[in-house]
Amino acid sequence: MDDLHTSSEQRNAAGVVSDAINFPGRNIHENLEHDAESQSTFALEDNLDLQKLGYKSVLARGWGGFDNFACSFSALYCIGGIRVLFSIALNNGGPAAMWSSWISGSILSVVTAATLAEACSAYPAAGSIYYWAFRSWGGGKLGRFISFLVAAWTLVAWTAFLATDSLGVANYLVTEVYVFNPDTSFPYDSSDVRARAVAWSFSLLFLAIATSMNFLPPRYYSWVFRAGVVVILIDVLLNVIWLPIGVSQTYGFRSADFVFTSTYNGGDTSPGLNWVLSWYLVASCLVGEDASGHVAEETISAKKAAARGVFWATVASAICGFPIILVFLFCMPPIEEFYSTGAPQPFINMYSLALGPHAHVVATVIAMIGAILNTSISMVAVSRLVFAIARDSVFPFSNVLCRVSRSKQPHNAVIFIAVIAALLLCTQLPSQVAFASLTSTSAAGSIAAYGIVGLGRTFITRTTFRPSFFDLGKYGLVMAIITFFWNGFAFAALCAPQYGDSLLDTDASYFNYCIVIMAGVTIIALEEWWRKSRGVWFYNLKDIESVASEGREGHFETQKGGPPSTTVLT
């Protein structure tokens, strides 16, 4: 069976031409029929696996292993995250802290990805992370409660990311106006409400573009996944090759001593806090690999492909990120000059200085395209999260939100999450403070969820967890423990104040509201749980508590009176 899985994935990635090479004795029609039969076999097996988790398959299953990998790899978009957060990371520790924390944080993030991949392989369902939390905490009442909190945190995190990513693209465009004409009267400074209004308008436009791509049929959206990977590779090559050439012909490189040994504390925090904040960059960038799990119900051979997607997308992003950080550090202008611009994205000013006032636009356009694709692909993941939560009976009008289109896609969930992201974008109009904190929240919610999965796997199901294809064996428990502690630390780094008391006393806008937002989301979730959701959450799996307590295998039957297209363990 393993050989059969492998050959199918190769055919799925390489196409019919590859089949003709592998099976020269067949004509093209026979190869097509063989490929269709193989995919049908895997789809049947996937649907049976999903039924064992308590769900009926209603989404279009046709994406291959590379598509699944591309979903997480594009959602992570390491070079884009490093570029957007470079100025913040430089402020919180300086060059030496940036590259050293990336090495240690990458290793720990890969361990986290391995723990999540093991859970994904065992439970390949849309919604992924909160279902993994449910199972990792043993099911039953405790598992239901923990998974509800995880669903709330993850939903807020992914939605906040859609908003911040759209604004990031808008900031690229606004900064270009300033770079072309520093004396322009065009509002570009984010402290000016007019500039925030302009950025808000652009960000809504880019969010709409990203949303519109989600209405492509699944077979066409595969090309969006692949385009995301291609653009990232082009982005990396441009910065690794072209940027150093430009810097060598203009202001020159920073010294090795500056890159490898210098530190910087622009926030005037204590030495200990400045050390903690040095992990802000890696904690913010290497998060989002659960995207592969969210599209598991649309992936062929999901328990293999989705688990691999979670793990290898994180590995690839971690490996790509390290040389990018070194290139950016060697190629940056002096720190004072880097921060001298009043534009919202100082990195574009650096491109202009290194590559020329006109040629650098190529790099900016590539960055913008990559960010738009990143937003669109992230919306694929979060819309499946919304679909799954609605299927598990929480939202008002859940029957509407979990309804699928004729092409078997959750278009209603796409529209819903796009509207929420657009509303979040409005928070920057009155003040840039609250919205800036959403940047941390977009990572903190998912990081907290990862830690919760590790905690449950460590203490609750350490002896009862049954792995599937992706099996960590005797190292699974150790990796789960590391996952819990690393993500707990990363969560603290994301929520920690980035400026010292002296600056906070003079300007409250320096305060990091991430912890306030996370606390607010948790309080609202607790209130909703006790008010209504404890009676309906996982309604379609309501008998799983008795299954968990009795320790027996369940059989499946259609749940009468429950949400549409669901099954129940009895």
Side-chain angles (χ1 to χ4, degrees):
M1 181 62 72
D2 287 341
D3 292 337
L4 187 61
H5 277 297
T6 302
S7 63
S8 174
E9 288 171 358
Q10 290 171 345
R11 285 193 297 276
N12 210 28
V16 176
V17 175
S18 175
D19 278 337
I21 296 173
N22 292 332
F23 302 98
R26 297 177 181 153
N27 61 37
I28 189 72
H29 298 291
E30 290 175 331
N31 283 322
L32 281 170
E33 290 175 1
H34 183 273
D35 189 66
E37 290 174 1
S38 298
Q39 291 197 14
S40 177
T41 300
F42 290 122
L44 178 61
E45 183 180 341
D46 288 324
N47 293 343
L48 289 174
D49 288 337
L50 184 61
Q51 193 180 38
K52 292 176 184 177
L53 302 182
Y55 300 109
K56 179 181 177 181
S57 178
V58 296
L59 297 175
R61 192 182 294 275
W63 288 332
F66 183 78
D67 297 324
N68 189 279
F69 163 83
C71 182
S72 278
F73 185 67
S74 299
L76 286 163
Y77 191 26
C78 64
I79 184 171
I82 293 170
R83 184 163 44 219
V84 169
L85 299 173
F86 188 83
S87 59
I88 297 175
L90 191 64
N91 204 52
N92 296 328
M98 288 176 68
W99 67 262
S100 60
S101 63
W102 185 272
I103 293 176
S104 56
S106 291
I107 295 171
L108 295 169
S109 295
V110 167
V111 170
T112 296
T115 300
L116 297 180
E118 188 179 48
C120 181
S121 181
Y123 314 119
S128 64
I129 188 71
Y130 77 80
Y131 194 91
W132 305 341
F134 169 66
R135 292 288 192 167
S136 296
W137 283 73
K141 294 180 179 179
L142 178 61
R144 291 171 63 236
F145 172 68
I146 294 297
S147 70
F148 185 79
L149 290 179
V150 168
W153 295 339
T154 310
L155 182 60
V156 169
W158 277 101
T159 310
F161 176 77
L162 295 178
T164 55
D165 208 28
S166 300
L167 182 65
V169 185
N171 284 338
Y172 285 141
L173 189 58
V174 171
T175 303
E176 280 294 352
V177 176
Y178 168 81
V179 167
F180 270 91
N181 183 13
D183 298 322
T184 182
S185 59
F186 185 86
Y188 61 85
D189 193 334
S190 57
S191 62
D192 184 349
V193 67
R194 296 176 303 162
R196 295 198 298 272
V198 170
W200 172 75
S201 301
F202 285 139
S203 59
L204 288 179
L205 172 62
F206 295 130
L207 178 63
I209 294 172
T211 302
S212 65
M213 285 189 277
N214 275 253
F215 289 88
L216 291 171
R219 65 181 180 277
Y220 294 133
Y221 201 88
S222 295
W223 292 104
V224 178
F225 285 139
R226 297 162 193 175
V229 174
V230 170
V231 170
I232 291 174
L233 294 178
I234 293 173
D235 200 354
V236 169
L237 290 175
L238 279 178
N239 282 276
V240 170
I241 298 173
W242 188 24
L243 183 60
I245 293 174
V247 169
S248 67
Q249 297 175 353
T250 51
Y251 53 78
F253 298 106
R254 299 302 94 205
S255 67
D257 183 64
F258 170 82
V259 171
F260 292 112
T261 63
S262 66
T263 59
Y264 186 69
N265 188 355
D268 195 27
T269 57
S270 65
L273 179 56
N274 192 239
W275 177 81
V276 170
L277 289 172
S278 66
W279 274 272
Y280 180 93
L281 179 65
V282 66
S284 298
C285 291
L286 295 183
V287 60
E289 61 267 30
D290 52 306
S292 287
H294 292 307
V295 298
E297 291 185 30
E298 296 158 274
T299 302
I300 297 173
S301 191
K303 62 186 177 185
K304 291 187 176 183
R308 288 168 174 163
V310 169
F311 180 75
W312 288 111
T314 308
V315 172
S317 298
I319 293 173
C320 287
F322 182 68
I324 287 296
I325 289 174
L326 291 182
V327 168
F328 286 168
L329 288 173
F330 273 111
C331 292
M332 67 173 290
I335 288 182
E336 295 75 14
E337 188 174 355
F338 180 80
Y339 284 113
S340 64
T341 177
Q345 181 45 266
F347 216 95
I348 303 302
N349 191 49
M350 183 179 106
Y351 277 159
S352 176
L353 293 172
L355 305 176
H358 299 291
H360 83 279
V361 173
V362 174
T364 302
V365 169
I366 293 295
M368 292 176 65
I369 293 174
I372 292 173
L373 292 174
N374 174 228
T375 305
S376 178
I377 292 171
S378 297
M379 186 171 289
V380 170
V382 70
S383 63
R384 274 56 178 179
L385 175 62
V386 170
F387 160 81
I389 293 175
R391 179 176 61 182
D392 288 324
S393 313
V394 168
F395 291 124
F397 309 107
S398 284
N399 287 345
V400 175
L401 289 176
C402 70
R403 190 178 301 160
V404 298
S405 65
R406 290 183 178 180
S407 60
K408 295 186 177 182
Q409 291 178 287
H411 287 165
N412 291 347
V414 171
I415 295 171
F416 172 79
I417 205 65
V419 170
I420 299 301
L423 292 175
L424 282 179
L425 280 168
C426 296
T427 61
Q428 69 141 348
L429 290 173
S431 171
Q432 60 180 330
V433 177
F435 187 84
S437 298
L438 287 176
T439 303
S440 297
T441 308
S442 65
S446 293
I447 288 290
Y450 298 169
I452 287 294
V453 171
L455 181 62
R457 175 76 171 81
T458 300
F459 295 105
I460 309 298
T461 56
R462 64 182 182 276
T463 59
T464 59
F465 175 78
R466 290 180 295 179
S468 182
F469 166 77
F470 198 100
D471 185 359
L472 297 176
K474 62 183 179 181
Y475 301 106
L477 182 59
V478 175
M479 290 189 174
I481 295 172
I482 295 173
T483 295
F484 167 62
F485 282 106
W486 158 242
N487 286 278
F489 177 80
F491 180 81
L494 291 168
C495 295
Q498 298 178 9
Y499 296 91
D501 292 339
S502 58
L503 290 174
L504 290 173
D505 291 339
T506 58
D507 190 348
S509 66
Y510 289 123
F511 185 74
N512 183 3
Y513 286 90
C514 176
I515 189 63
V516 177
I517 296 172
M518 288 297 298
V521 170
T522 303
I523 291 171
I524 293 172
L526 290 173
E527 188 276 333
E528 175 62 20
W529 173 260
W530 291 110
R531 185 183 70 84
K532 173 189 175 185
S533 297
R534 62 176 175 165
V536 298
W537 179 241
F538 280 141
Y539 177 80
N540 54 314
L541 302 176
K542 64 178 182 178
D543 291 334
I544 202 166
E545 296 175 17
S546 62
V547 175
S549 62
E550 295 174 13
R552 60 179 174 81
E553 292 293 331
H555 67 276
F556 298 86
E557 64 181 26
T558 302
Q559 170 63 41
K560 297 179 180 179
S565 301
T566 59
T567 57
V568 60
L569 279 166
T570 60

